[in-house]
Amino acid sequence: MPAMDPGTLLDKLESGDQELVQKALAEYNQENSQCFFFNAEQREERKRQELEEFKKKKFRDWVPKSDSDYDSDNSEDPDVKQRQKLGELVIKFLNRDLQPSCQMACLETIRILSRDKHALSPFTGRSAIQTLAQYAGLDYSEEMEMPSIPDGESAVEALKGLCNIIYNSVEAQEVAKELRLVCGLARRLKLYNETRSSHESKFFDLRLLFLLTALSVDMRKQLAQELRGVSLLTDALESTLALKWSDIYEVVTDRLAPPLGKEETERVMEILKTLFNITFDISRREVDEEDAALYRHLAAILRHCLLRQCDGEDRTEEFHGHTVNLLVNLPLMCLDVLLTPKVEQGSVEYMGMNMDTVEVLIQFLDRRLDRGHKLRETLTPVLNLLTESSRVHRETRKFLRAKVLPPLRDVKNRPEVGNTLRNKLVRLMTHVDTDVKHCAAEFLFVLCKENVSRFVKYTGYGNAAGLLAARGLLAGGRGEGRYSEDEDTDTEEYREAKPKEQIIQPMGVTSDGRLEPLDEAAQKMLQRQESSDLESDSD
């Protein structure tokens, strides 16, 4: 069946007949349900037409414009104008007393149109956002004693449209702040356990809350401070995971339990992402006793998250990635709860401590190293978490050192050659991305208790030079961290291969361009100078 002519569609909407409008929009929605990039299709068509014109004129060299060139004049694009006109009519129609089927058709159309950032103008004003907020049950006022509970599919469609509009429009973000949509969402989140809302309704509530806090500093602060968002979202997290507690900071975790359900996983990840938004500055400020207790409670839940599996490896990896990102934000003093659970049968034990969480983190690190994709985003959070945990928890550092820097027996190959964790991390120490390079070096340096000789022993002088130069430690010594006394870890293989007592010493360049210890190079230079002087005297 041929697509409906845009002019015909607009005529039917302008008629105002509900039945006619509902049928026309339903047809339009079906035709465009899978259309996510309106302008991409138009760009390709315009490129094709331009290429045909160049062929007719017999130009040999044709260089297509960039996508932004084609997008720059969209305000005059007739298709964009028609979509804007359609949006204006639909949002206006929603303010009438409509049948549920017609409401649903209008909201679906708005969801589809709001994917196109160039046709958003009908939806970004205060009146339009307020209309959609009312359909979503998010209209907020101080006098309201109870928040609105969203009513079925129409509310979900309104939430989806709001998500698209907020994501694509700075103007809409400002309007959302003025209408205090975060307050409406927070009020509804308090009833998370008591309502029988659908998964989709809860999910898009959380998705909208994530977008608002990700895109607006003011709404982020509002949720974190005024609305006590950490406590609110922690309760929602605990409820979604259906947790049971065996102690004040210990969740009952069955490692043999079935994977976390798909819907629960989706909601949990939205909660974790929003918590990340509102906690990113916590580790940089002092926290009082009450807040410390809250963060320890949250850290205990995050420990449980690290020990749970989802449906599929990729989903589990994503779930654990969001968990790690949030753990990095929490105050270091609150991460002791990761080690406090009692050692049970099947637990990883080290020095009498439960190392299940640290074992999961080191495996997570190894997988991320092997993937090698977007290392700054995927690798630096877990490296930072392990580094800072190793600074403050002796048992964690010793366990990680045993895993990453076991006694050195392979003394024939360079430190960066091979497939051990040490080899992979040493390779990163010369990575082109400065953040990645720094994080890898810092982690290994802390595992070496900031001892320069030991650091060079495990990583090689060339690889270590960057960090040592930045710390002013090229001549040896150790960093500022406080650690227990060093123990001798040199293997027989290393002692035999060790070339001299001083691992690091000043070097000089000889006349033939070779590096030698500075005192030897200076002595040879002096001898050459004396010989030259004697020859001059004899002349």
Side-chain angles (χ1 to χ4, degrees):
M1 187 172 67
M4 182 184 292
D5 176 68
T8 304
L9 176 61
L10 294 175
D11 289 342
K12 289 183 177 181
L13 259 74
E14 287 176 330
S15 73
D17 183 281
Q18 272 202 56
E19 186 175 351
L20 200 62
V21 168
Q22 189 269 324
K23 287 182 179 178
L25 290 180
E27 185 179 333
Y28 177 84
N29 296 341
Q30 187 173 4
E31 289 171 2
N32 294 281
S33 62
Q34 299 304 311
C35 185
F36 290 89
F37 303 99
F38 289 98
N39 291 88
E41 296 174 4
Q42 293 164 17
R43 280 197 301 266
E44 292 307 312
E45 177 60 21
R46 288 169 68 181
K47 285 180 185 178
R48 188 190 64 76
Q49 291 174 356
E50 206 171 278
L51 178 57
E52 288 300 319
E53 287 296 316
F54 271 83
K55 283 181 178 177
K56 287 177 185 177
K57 295 175 182 178
K58 297 184 178 178
F59 287 117
R60 292 183 178 178
D61 299 318
W62 177 73
V63 179
K65 300 174 185 175
S66 67
D67 289 348
S68 58
D69 291 329
Y70 288 103
D71 281 344
S72 60
D73 196 27
N74 269 294
S75 59
E76 300 302 318
D77 190 310
D79 291 324
V80 171
K81 283 189 169 183
Q82 284 180 335
R83 286 199 292 276
Q84 288 174 339
K85 180 64 175 175
L86 175 58
E88 290 168 6
L89 291 171
V90 171
I91 199 74
K92 184 178 178 182
F93 209 71
L94 270 176
N95 288 312
R96 293 174 50 178
D97 186 17
L98 301 177
Q99 294 293 323
S101 60
C102 194
Q103 285 180 5
M104 190 65 178
C106 289
L107 290 166
E108 285 179 353
T109 303
I110 290 173
R111 170 173 56 82
I112 291 168
L113 291 174
S114 61
R115 296 168 181 165
D116 179 10
K117 63 182 179 180
H118 299 289
L120 276 180
S121 56
F123 311 127
T124 57
R126 185 182 181 92
S127 175
I129 299 287
Q130 197 158 26
T131 297
L132 291 171
Q134 287 169 352
Y135 274 98
L138 292 179
D139 44 327
Y140 173 83
S141 68
E142 297 288 350
E143 294 76 28
M144 288 176 63
E145 293 185 8
M146 291 289 289
S148 304
I149 303 301
D151 182 21
E153 294 180 345
S154 292
V156 172
E157 280 300 318
L159 283 167
K160 289 178 181 178
L162 282 169
C163 285
N164 287 346
I165 295 162
I166 297 297
Y167 178 73
N168 285 315
S169 168
V170 175
E171 181 185 349
Q173 293 159 23
E174 286 299 311
V175 172
K177 183 175 72 174
E178 292 169 12
L179 293 175
R180 295 174 67 82
L181 292 193
V182 166
C183 296
L185 287 164
R187 280 191 172 185
R188 203 146 76 193
L189 202 56
K190 288 178 182 177
L191 301 177
Y192 206 74
N193 295 332
E194 302 169 24
T195 59
R196 294 185 178 180
S197 302
S198 66
H199 158 69
E200 275 206 316
S201 176
K202 289 180 176 180
F203 173 79
F204 283 104
D205 270 359
L206 293 166
R207 169 61 59 85
L208 183 57
L209 191 60
F210 162 69
L211 288 171
L212 292 171
T213 54
L215 297 168
S216 168
V217 174
D218 290 337
M219 286 188 275
R220 195 181 305 153
K221 289 180 179 177
Q222 184 181 31
L223 180 60
Q225 298 169 12
E226 177 187 333
L227 301 170
R228 296 193 58 79
V230 175
S231 178
L232 194 64
L233 287 161
T234 300
D235 288 346
L237 185 61
E238 189 172 345
S239 168
T240 307
L241 291 166
L243 299 183
K244 296 179 180 178
W245 296 81
S246 61
D247 207 339
I248 183 170
Y249 296 129
E250 185 173 349
V251 178
V252 176
T253 304
D254 181 3
R255 299 291 291 272
L256 301 177
L260 193 61
K262 179 177 179 291
E263 293 182 350
E264 288 79 8
T265 301
E266 289 178 346
R267 297 204 300 274
V268 165
M269 288 200 290
E270 293 302 313
I271 295 170
L272 293 176
K273 291 187 311 187
T274 307
L275 277 166
F276 174 85
N277 289 343
I278 64 174
T279 59
F280 77 98
D281 64 338
I282 283 174
S283 60
R284 295 192 292 272
R285 56 184 170 85
E286 293 292 324
V287 293
D288 58 27
E289 195 173 326
E290 182 182 353
D291 282 341
L294 172 60
Y295 298 135
R296 279 197 169 91
H297 184 75
L298 176 55
I301 298 175
L302 297 180
R303 178 186 186 275
H304 172 82
C305 290
L306 284 175
L307 300 179
R308 288 298 304 270
Q309 299 292 309
C310 302
D311 190 13
E313 287 184 11
D314 289 344
R315 205 61 166 164
T316 300
E317 190 81 5
E318 184 182 3
F319 176 46
H320 287 172
H322 291 307
T323 305
V324 168
N325 290 344
L326 181 52
L327 276 168
V328 173
N329 285 358
L330 300 188
L332 280 172
M333 60 180 286
C334 301
L335 297 186
D336 54 354
V337 301
L338 299 180
L339 305 180
T340 53
K342 296 179 286 294
V343 176
E344 299 174 345
Q345 187 174 1
S347 295
V348 177
E349 180 184 357
Y350 188 82
M351 297 177 68
M353 307 291 286
N354 186 320
M355 290 290 168
D356 286 346
T357 311
V358 186
E359 176 72 15
V360 169
L361 289 171
I362 202 71
Q363 291 172 1
F364 177 83
L365 170 66
D366 202 11
R367 289 193 301 273
R368 293 262 160 130
L369 284 166
D370 288 341
R371 291 190 178 192
H373 179 62
K374 293 184 177 178
L375 289 179
R376 181 188 289 189
E377 293 85 351
T378 63
L379 202 61
T380 55
V382 67
L383 276 174
N384 283 331
L385 177 61
L386 291 173
T387 301
E388 297 308 317
S389 298
S390 297
R391 284 190 205 279
V392 296
H393 299 128
R394 175 172 174 265
E395 295 82 3
T396 298
R397 176 180 55 76
K398 291 178 76 70
F399 177 76
L400 286 171
R401 183 177 163 197
K403 291 279 184 178
V404 179
L405 301 176
L408 191 59
R409 300 192 183 282
D410 179 7
V411 293
K412 294 181 179 178
N413 292 311
R414 295 192 305 275
E416 65 270 22
V417 175
N419 291 311
T420 66
L421 259 174
R422 175 178 74 103
N423 302 143
K424 296 172 188 177
L425 288 165
V426 170
R427 284 197 288 273
L428 289 184
M429 292 171 66
T430 52
H431 195 273
V432 292
D433 188 295
T434 306
D435 288 343
V436 172
K437 177 168 63 177
H438 171 77
C439 286
E442 189 74 13
F443 177 50
L444 294 174
F445 194 46
V446 169
L447 292 190
C448 292
K449 299 198 285 192
E450 301 187 25
N451 180 295
V452 171
S453 296
R454 182 176 295 163
F455 184 51
V456 172
K457 164 183 158 183
Y458 280 104
T459 66
Y461 183 62
N463 296 315
L467 180 140
L468 297 179
R471 299 285 190 92
L473 294 171
L474 280 173
R478 68 185 310 153
E480 297 176 355
R482 295 184 179 182
Y483 303 92
S484 56
E485 289 298 315
D486 289 331
E487 62 273 15
D488 183 11
T489 60
D490 288 353
T491 60
E492 198 63 38
E493 293 88 340
Y494 180 74
R495 288 194 189 96
E496 291 176 3
K498 190 174 180 181
K500 45 193 168 282
E501 285 302 312
Q502 273 188 299
I503 295 177
I504 296 178
Q505 54 183 309
M507 304 292 281
V509 182
T510 63
S511 59
D512 55 358
R514 291 184 297 105
L515 282 173
E516 286 189 356
L518 188 60
D519 54 349
E520 294 178 23
Q523 189 174 5
K524 288 181 180 179
M525 189 176 293
L526 182 62
Q527 290 173 350
R528 286 196 302 273
Q529 184 64 45
E530 290 174 349
S531 175
S532 176
D533 291 344
L534 286 172
E535 289 175 6
S536 298
D537 291 342
S538 64
D539 289 343

